[in-house]
Amino acid sequence: MPIDPTKPYDDGNIFAKILRGEVPCKKVYEDEHALAFHDIAPLAPVHILVIPKGAYVSWDDFSARASEAEIAGFVRAVGHVAREAEMVAQGYRLLANTGKRAGQEVPHLHVHIFGGQPLGPMLSR
């Protein structure tokens, strides 16, 4: 169900539970600013989620409230994960949905990294 990114952070969301260790994940990478793990319902041969460790609802929330260190650390983590998954040469796609019309389903910022096959057009009609 799409979420409203203007609402306060809900610490009961699935990604908050993963960060607290209450729900397992198939971890790919972790540092002080980010956690990356395989999506449980992959839409491509490689489908990894990268989430910041801070309580941010969306990209909008993150870009407005996160510290410079958090922003730099998160962006670097996304790049690191793509490089470690050997997706740079073949190409990959990043996706961060924000809000209802974009289809954001979890009220915690997350970036999808897709790769491992041709990904087609940016948007389907």
Side-chain angles (χ1 to χ4, degrees), residues 43-79:
L43 298 175
V46 179
H47 186 173
I48 299 169
L49 299 174
V50 185
I51 64 174
K53 288 193 170 178
Y56 301 103
V57 175
S58 65
W59 191 266
D60 181 69
D61 183 28
F62 181 71
S63 65
R65 296 189 314 105
S67 70
E68 290 182 19
E70 288 174 299
I71 293 169
F74 182 69
V75 171
R76 286 192 171 125
V78 170

Side-chain angles (χ1 to χ4, degrees), residues 9-94:
Y9 185 80
D10 172 10
D11 67 359
N13 76 71
I14 188 68
F15 294 162
K17 291 177 181 180
I18 289 171
L19 285 169
R20 291 192 300 266
E22 297 169 6
V23 173
C25 71
K26 192 172 169 189
K27 187 184 337 183
V28 172
Y29 176 76
E30 183 173 16
D31 66 18
E32 66 183 295
H33 297 293
L35 173 66
F37 50 92
H38 290 280
D39 194 291
I40 62 168
L43 298 175
V46 179
H47 186 173
I48 299 169
L49 299 174
V50 185
I51 64 174
K53 288 193 170 178
Y56 301 103
V57 175
S58 65
W59 191 266
D60 181 69
D61 183 28
F62 181 71
S63 65
R65 296 189 314 105
S67 70
E68 290 182 19
E70 288 174 299
I71 293 169
F74 182 69
V75 171
R76 286 192 171 125
V78 170
H80 176 83
V81 170
R83 286 188 300 278
E84 288 297 306
E86 299 181 347
M87 291 192 289
V88 176
Q90 66 180 334
Y92 61 95
R93 178 172 295 158
L94 302 178

Side-chain angles (χ1 to χ4, degrees), residues 88-105:
V88 176
Q90 66 180 334
Y92 61 95
R93 178 172 295 158
L94 302 178
L95 175 69
N97 296 317
T98 299
K100 295 176 184 178
R101 285 190 171 179
Q104 183 180 359
E105 296 178 345

